[in-house]
Amino acid sequence: MPDTKKTIKNKPFPRRLSVAPMLDWTDRHFRFLARQISRHALLYTEMVNAGAVVYGDADRFLLKNDCENPVALQLGGSDPALLAQAAAKAAAYGYDEINLNCGCPSPRVQKGAFGACLMNEVPLVADCLNAMQDAAPGCDITVKHRIGVDRQTEYHTLADFVGTLAGKTTCTTYIVHARNAWLDGLSPKENREVPPLKYDYVYRLKHEFPALEIILNGGVKTNAEAAAHLEYVDGVMIGRECYHNPMIMRDWDRLFYGDTHDPADYAELAGRLKDYAAAQLASGRGSILRHITRHCLGLMHGLNGARQWRRMLSEAELLKDNDPALILRAWEEVEKANASNPPSRPD
């Protein structure tokens, strides 16, 4: 593969590494944890239906922590006017980016005529992106999509989709999940695993559209893999590995952003989580301790005592008192289990 020259300019923030939008997982509590580990990674919300933002409780869907930025809101929808209203609301909440989902294959999303099925409706996608940009001129409007849907396995399908949008909109950032989406016959989980990854399609896309920012997503599990992909694309998005093993993000600032700050250690993180939980419980917004601790279960991945940490932060009997100090007690168990080799750095 020929070397790719990066010619993108004037992007508001670097998307070298980002945490993928994941339904039920990347809520504001998980994003707080992620931001304590990496100062620079771009964080994404769960996908939020544009109608829920416009007609529902905006705070419920758009509220975020002050520390989160840079942070992107992912919207689902196919009505340009509705998406525009949702984008305007999101801009008022201080989101840096608003992303249109054109990659989710779930039946529920298909019923609403959005997600991956929008890849078959390119003029409509262009109308949606333009309406969002007009409504939120201060935000970066982006799109996340697959390399094709169903039996569209040829590269030109992907290139036509991106090329058409690049010509009809001001969108210059394309986040490409390097698998096809099967709209029938595979579950959402199978759609993340069964269709083969075709990273070469994403590399070729960047080579042929050097002025666009191309972000690769799908199947990346290690920082070494991310670094290898960055030889060919502008950024890498990682999903489930970040959730199940958050400390994979610990070296991102040093490796990918040139930041020489000392990364947070485990004890610091436990203390920050305890303080955060206390503030959230006192805020009166309806949070309970379980809402926060369920996102922290993978934090001690690979350490002695990790099982005890998970048990203590997920056991109903221990969580029922909503005592944030439980986080510190769970950490003390891990610390004791690693007394002979203090876990100041992950493996």
Side-chain angles (χ1 to χ4, degrees):
M1 173 65 63
D3 184 34
T4 302
K5 302 300 182 185
K6 312 294 196 301
T7 62
I8 54 170
K9 298 178 180 178
N10 302 320
K11 301 307 292 185
F13 43 86
R15 293 180 178 82
R16 295 281 286 169
L17 268 291
S18 54
V19 178
M22 292 176 282
L23 194 62
D24 295 327
W25 287 4
T26 51
D27 66 10
R28 61 190 175 89
H29 300 314
F30 176 75
R31 297 194 307 266
F32 172 84
L33 170 62
R35 182 57 72 220
Q36 305 316 298
I37 300 172
S38 171
R39 294 177 174 87
H40 302 290
L42 176 60
L43 307 178
Y44 280 77
T45 69
E46 310 166 81
M47 183 184 70
V48 180
N49 188 296
V53 172
V54 173
Y55 301 118
D57 179 355
D59 273 358
R60 176 185 171 191
F61 298 106
L62 299 180
L63 198 65
K64 61 184 181 62
N65 303 295
D66 291 339
C67 70
E68 286 184 39
N69 295 71
V71 61
L73 171 73
Q74 187 181 72
L75 287 175
S78 58
D79 180 336
L82 197 61
L83 283 163
Q85 293 179 67
K89 285 197 171 189
Y93 276 75
Y95 283 90
D96 299 286
E97 172 188 323
I98 305 171
N99 176 265
L100 179 64
N101 184 314
C102 292
C104 181
S106 78
R108 183 176 65 174
V109 166
Q110 289 182 56
K111 189 175 180 180
F114 60 96
C117 60
L118 281 176
M119 290 195 69
N120 292 323
E121 305 286 344
V122 188
L124 176 58
V125 175
D127 290 344
C128 291
L129 293 173
N130 286 329
M132 292 162 67
Q133 191 68 79
D134 289 344
C139 291
D140 216 20
I141 305 300
T142 69
V143 59
K144 187 173 187 293
H145 55 93
R146 297 289 185 119
I147 58 174
V149 295
D150 295 328
R151 290 173 175 80
Q152 298 170 348
T153 58
E154 297 182 354
Y155 167 76
H156 72 77
T157 301
L158 171 64
D160 289 348
F161 178 80
V162 171
T164 300
L165 292 180
K168 292 180 177 293
T169 75
T170 60
C171 179
T172 58
T173 299
Y174 296 80
I175 303 158
V176 189
H177 187 152
R179 301 181 194 269
N180 271 48
W182 284 86
L183 302 181
D184 187 29
L186 294 179
S187 69
K189 181 178 185 296
E190 290 170 330
N191 257 293
R192 293 191 299 268
E193 299 170 353
V194 174
L197 287 159
K198 297 183 178 180
Y199 295 133
D200 57 311
Y201 279 22
V202 189
Y203 297 168
R204 182 177 173 184
L205 193 69
K206 176 60 190 177
H207 182 68
E208 295 184 1
F209 295 90
L212 300 180
E213 186 178 37
I214 304 298
I215 312 299
L216 181 146
N217 172 232
V220 183
K221 295 184 178 180
T222 70
N223 291 336
E225 291 172 2
H229 290 308
L230 285 169
E231 294 294 316
Y232 303 104
V233 295
D234 300 296
V236 172
M237 174 180 279
I238 302 179
R240 278 157 176 74
E241 190 66 24
C242 290
Y243 192 85
H244 294 305
N245 179 20
M247 280 304 214
I248 190 179
M249 297 181 278
R250 194 170 190 260
D251 289 326
W252 283 8
D253 293 352
R254 175 180 60 84
L255 292 173
F256 303 113
Y257 294 92
D259 190 328
T260 58
H261 286 91
D262 289 336
D265 63 25
Y266 290 95
E268 283 182 276
L269 289 171
R272 291 179 192 176
L273 285 169
K274 179 260 184 186
D275 292 343
Y276 173 77
Q280 291 298 309
L281 295 177
S283 70
R285 295 184 183 133
S287 290
I288 58 176
L289 188 60
R290 179 176 58 81
H291 293 162
I292 298 165
T293 60
R294 74 184 184 94
H295 297 301
C296 307
L297 301 183
L299 187 59
M300 303 300 164
H301 177 83
L303 297 180
N304 296 331
R307 181 178 297 181
Q308 178 74 344
W309 166 269
R310 293 193 300 270
R311 184 193 68 78
M312 291 182 68
L313 296 187
S314 59
E315 190 171 295
E317 185 65 24
L318 294 175
L319 291 167
K320 68 179 182 180
D321 294 331
N322 282 323
D323 181 3
L326 176 64
I327 296 171
L328 295 184
R329 295 201 298 273
W331 160 244
E332 288 168 0
E333 293 300 313
V334 177
E335 197 171 30
K336 284 190 290 186
N338 291 272
S340 62
N341 183 25
S344 60
R345 290 191 59 84
D347 293 336

